Amino acid sequence: MSTDKQVVDSERENEFTTTHHVYVPHKAGIPPLANYARELWRRREFATEMSRASLRAANTLTLFGQVWLVLNPLLLSGVYFLLVQVLSGGRHGWEFFAQLTAGLFTFYFISGSMGTGASSVVGGGKLLLNTAFPRLLMPFSAIRTAFFRFLPTLPVYLIFHVIAGLGFHWAVFIAVFFLFLLVVFALGLAALFATLQVYFRDTTSFLPYLTRIWLYASPVLWSIETIPPRFEKVITVLEFVNPLHSLLGGFTQCLVNGDIPSFTTFATATVWAFGVFAIGSLFFMSREREFAVRL
Amino acid sequence: MSSLSASESVPTKGLSVKVENLSVTYRTTFERVPTFKNAITRFGRGQRAVREVEALKNVTFDVPDGTALGIIGNNGAGKSTLMRALAGILPPTEGRIEVNGRISPLLSLGVGFNPMLSGRENIILGGLASGLSRAQVVARAEEVTAFAGLEEFIDAPMRTYSSGMYSRLAFSVAVHMDPDILMIDEALSAGDATFKTKAAEKMGELRESARAFFLVSHSLASIKQLCNDAIWLHKGTLMMRGTPEEVTAAYADFVNVGESAVILEDL
C-alpha cells in the first residue's frame, strides 16, 4: 500500500527500513558499518528535529533562555577570575579574563555534551522500544543541542576579546578547525557516556566530580605559557594524557592569542578527537541492540 | 542483527514474514535501577544481578501476503517480544526472521512518545525515526491529527493529554505511516466508542491494502472479527496456529474461563 513506491524501490538494502529485512543472531558486536553510516546519514533530520524539540522544550530559543545560557558560564568566569586574582596577588588583567571566558565557555560545551549525551539514550527510552533506527542518532542529537547552547556564548566572548584589545589574527580560522575537533571529540564522548548510563544509571551523578577535576587539569584557569618551571614535568604528561590540553589549549591559543599551535598540539588533538570518536561510537554500536531490554 | 549477505537477501515470494526457529533470550537486570554503586557492592559479595529471560523458544511460522494474523496469549507469553523481533528492535538469539515490507512503528499503545514535547513534535519525530523524509512526515502530520481528532491540542505538550487522547494519537500515527506490514499491539483497548468504531473501520481498510496485518489483543472478539489467521503463544512457545475460531476456542479452554463476555470484550 506504500504510496512512497519510488522511495521504497530506490532504497538500498539495509537492516533498518528497506522492504526486505533478514534478522539473524549477530555474532560480532558491530553491525555492517557502511549500512549503519548510510542509515545514520539518511535519518540525520531526526537528530536535528530531536535536538530542536529539546531546545524548544527548555526555552533555549527565547531571549531569556539565551541570556541564561550566557549568564551561567559568565558568572563562573567572574568567580574564577576573582579566585585566580586573589591567589596570584592581582596581576591579571582583561587579557586573562578574555582567555578565561574562552576556556570556560568551551569547557562547558564539552561538559554539557557529556551530560546531555549521557542522558540521551535513557531519556529517549520509549522511542527506542518502539522504532528500529540507528541509536547513535540519540547522542549525536544531544551534541547538536550542546553545540547550540554553546554558540550564543561566542559573541559574548568576542566582546571581552575586543575590550582586552587582543586584535584579530588569521589564526582564528585555525580555531575553527580546533572547534571541529572538539565537536568530533564530544560526539565520541557522548556515545561513550550514553552507553555507560544505560548500564549504570548513576553515571550522571559522577559526572560533576569528573568535570571539576578535568577543569583543573585543563588549561582553562591557567595557561600553558604561565606555568612555573617546577610543574614542567606534570605538563608534559598532561599534554598527552588530557585530551583537552591539546584540544582546548589549541583552540584558545588560536582564538585568544592568535598563535599557531605547535605541530605536536595539532597531532595530539587530532588523534584524541578521532580516537575517542571511534572508540565511543564503536562501543555504542556494539551495545546498542541490547538497549531495548535494558531500558 | 542482520548480516546481509547476498544469499540471504533474496526475498521469499508470497511471504510477508517468515520466522524460523526463532528464540529470543535476553539478559536483563532485576535491579530496580542499575547503578554503579550497587554493581560494586554486589561484586564485593560475589553476586550477579543479571537474569536470563527466555522470551521466545523455537518459534516457527510463515505469514503469507494478505494475512491478518491475530496473536493471543497470557501476559508474559512473548507477544510483544515477537512484535519487537519482527520490527528489528530485539535481535534473535537463535533462528532467522525474514520480513518483506515496511513495518509500522507502533508496538504497544501509548509508548514512543515524549510527554514533554507536543503532539505534533512527537508525530514528526516518530516518522523521522522510522525513516520517512521530513516532507512525507509533515504531509502526514495533518492527516494523523485529523484522524485522531486532536486538532485543538496538537501543539500542547503530551503530558497534558488524557490517556484516551494519547492512544488515539498513537494509533493514528501507526496507521498513517504507510506501512506494508501493520502491527497493532493492544490498540483497541483505549479510546472512546466513537474512536473505536473509526479505528475498527480503518483497520478493516488497512487489512485490505496492507501486505500483512498483526493484531495483538486480549479481546478475543476483536481477533475473531479482524483476523483470518491466528497464533497462540504461551510462555514463549507457539502452542497453536489455526483459524481465529479454533485458536480462540482452544485458548479460552486452556485458561479455563470459557468464552465469557469478559474475555470477548475489552474492559
Side-chain angles (χ1 to χ4, degrees):
Chain A
M1 78 160 255
S2 188
T3 52
D4 315 318
K5 201 70 192 154
Q6 320 82 321
V7 180
V8 171
D9 286 343
S10 63
E11 249 178 20
R12 293 231 236 148
E13 190 84 16
N14 65 64
E15 66 182 87
F16 292 104
T17 31
T18 47
T19 46
H20 177 240
H21 328 238
V22 174
Y23 305 116
V24 291
H26 58 281
K27 274 140 204 127
I30 292 167
L33 285 182
N35 275 343
Y36 195 95
R38 193 161 44 235
E39 273 310 293
L40 204 60
W41 178 247
R42 217 163 65 80
R43 312 222 187 159
R44 62 192 183 278
E45 290 234 42
F46 167 73
T48 314
E49 193 57 42
M50 185 89 184
S51 148
R52 249 187 231 149
S54 62
L55 285 172
R56 256 198 307 270
N59 290 322
T60 315
L61 303 178
T62 62
L63 176 65
F64 285 100
Q66 300 259 328
V67 169
W68 175 246
L69 284 183
V70 175
L71 209 57
N72 187 31
L74 200 56
L75 287 174
L76 266 169
S77 323
V79 170
Y80 283 120
F81 183 67
L82 277 179
L83 186 78
V84 176
Q85 208 50 318
V86 168
L87 287 179
S88 68
R91 36 186 186 82
H92 293 296
W94 278 107
E95 200 178 322
F96 175 69
F97 190 73
Q99 180 175 344
L100 187 65
T101 44
L104 265 185
F105 289 170
T106 319
F107 184 83
Y108 270 82
F109 163 57
I110 294 293
S111 79
S113 305
M114 282 201 293
T116 50
S119 46
S120 61
V121 169
V122 174
K126 303 286 190 188
L127 192 61
L128 264 67
L129 291 177
N130 272 344
T131 319
F133 61 90
R135 309 301 195 207
L136 260 183
L137 285 169
M138 306 295 281
F140 285 5
S141 141
I143 294 307
R144 189 188 181 272
T145 310
F147 189 72
F148 274 80
R149 294 166 68 95
F150 165 69
L151 275 187
T153 62
L154 277 180
V156 175
Y157 163 72
L158 279 184
I159 297 173
F160 295 115
H161 191 92
V162 171
I163 292 177
L166 285 164
F168 290 90
H169 315 270
W170 68 275
V172 171
F173 293 106
I174 301 179
V176 176
F177 172 70
F178 274 96
L179 187 59
F180 164 73
L181 288 184
L182 279 162
V183 171
V184 172
F185 178 69
L187 290 171
L189 214 56
L192 199 65
F193 279 101
T195 319
L196 286 179
Q197 178 73 5
V198 173
Y199 294 93
F200 304 114
R201 299 297 159 87
D202 47 1
T203 306
T204 42
S205 326
F206 292 120
L207 284 182
Y209 304 102
L210 182 67
T211 29
R212 190 49 60 87
I213 295 166
W214 206 356
L215 175 64
Y216 297 149
S218 305
V220 174
L221 304 183
W222 44 273
S223 61
I224 302 166
E225 306 93 64
T226 59
I227 285 296
R230 62 197 154 101
F231 288 123
E232 223 163 78
K233 273 216 177 94
V234 185
I235 292 301
T236 42
V237 174
L238 273 186
E239 198 181 345
F240 298 105
V241 171
N242 179 6
L244 287 187
H245 193 95
S246 49
L247 282 164
L248 203 150
F251 178 67
T252 49
Q253 211 180 335
C254 298
L255 186 68
V256 181
N257 309 326
D259 296 340
I260 296 163
S262 68
F263 175 73
T264 325
T265 312
F266 267 103
T268 325
T270 313
V271 168
W272 265 115
F274 286 98
V276 167
F277 177 75
I279 293 169
S281 48
L282 288 177
F283 180 51
F284 186 96
M285 281 187 240
S286 70
R287 295 269 123 202
E288 69 166 52
R289 278 155 295 185
E290 219 189 49
F291 290 173
V293 296
R294 293 278 184 168
L295 288 173
Chain B
M1 93 189 66
S2 64
S3 55
L4 298 160
S5 63
S7 62
E8 287 170 330
S9 294
V10 182
T12 313
K13 281 254 153 60
L15 285 185
S16 298
V17 172
K18 187 174 181 177
V19 177
E20 288 168 284
N21 306 336
L22 172 69
S23 294
V24 176
T25 305
Y26 55 80
R27 299 190 329 153
T28 188
T29 164
F30 56 75
E31 278 179 301
R32 202 158 38 93
V33 180
T35 62
F36 186 61
K37 181 175 146 263
N38 290 350
I40 294 278
T41 356
R42 253 195 342 272
F43 185 73
R45 295 198 209 109
Q47 296 170 336
R48 292 218 64 188
V50 176
R51 184 176 53 175
E52 291 227 320
V53 179
E54 289 189 308
L56 289 172
K57 295 170 211 158
N58 204 9
V59 173
T60 303
F61 65 92
D62 288 341
V63 180
D65 289 343
T67 307
L69 185 75
I71 301 169
I72 54 174
N74 288 349
N75 296 131
K79 305 186 294 290
S80 295
T81 304
L82 180 62
M83 294 286 105
R84 292 214 166 98
L86 293 182
I89 296 164
L90 284 180
T93 316
E94 276 168 53
R96 185 170 182 276
I97 304 171
E98 191 182 320
V99 177
N100 296 312
R102 190 200 283 275
I103 289 182
S104 69
L106 174 101
L107 290 165
S108 69
L109 193 69
V111 298
F113 290 135
N114 179 344
M116 301 310 288
L117 303 180
S118 74
R120 189 188 304 276
E121 286 170 331
N122 272 305
I123 296 172
I124 291 177
L125 280 178
L128 290 175
S130 58
L132 296 175
S133 72
R134 172 181 297 272
Q136 290 171 326
V137 180
V138 170
R140 280 176 185 81
E142 293 304 318
E143 260 179 84
V144 170
T145 314
F147 185 82
L150 289 171
E151 290 91 341
E152 290 169 62
F153 307 102
I154 200 66
D155 289 310
M158 284 196 69
R159 64 187 150 80
T160 61
Y161 286 22
S162 73
S163 59
M165 285 154 75
Y166 217 84
S167 45
R168 265 154 48 196
L169 190 61
F171 179 83
S172 186
V173 167
V175 296
H176 285 90
M177 291 299 163
D178 276 352
D180 297 318
I181 297 175
L182 181 67
M183 305 201 303
I184 303 281
D185 193 343
E186 289 164 40
L188 291 182
S189 52
D192 50 30
T194 326
F195 188 75
K196 257 188 200 170
T197 324
K198 207 157 124 189
E201 246 170 56
K202 184 77 185 176
M203 283 210 280
E205 188 187 305
L206 281 172
R207 201 183 49 191
E208 303 302 316
S209 56
R211 199 180 291 161
F213 169 74
F214 290 82
L215 177 66
V216 173
S217 182
H218 288 291
S219 158
L220 300 184
S222 306
I223 299 273
K224 280 198 234 176
Q225 187 195 333
L226 289 162
C227 301
N228 55 24
D229 203 345
I231 59 174
W232 163 27
L233 288 174
H234 184 67
K235 291 189 177 162
T237 36
L238 182 65
M239 299 287 281
M240 194 179 169
R241 165 86 188 256
T243 66
E245 284 73 23
E246 290 163 12
V247 177
T248 51
Y251 174 67
D253 249 4
F254 178 80
V255 294
N256 209 6
V257 287
E259 290 202 357
S260 69
V262 181
I263 56 164
L264 285 170
E265 292 301 318
D266 292 310
L267 279 181

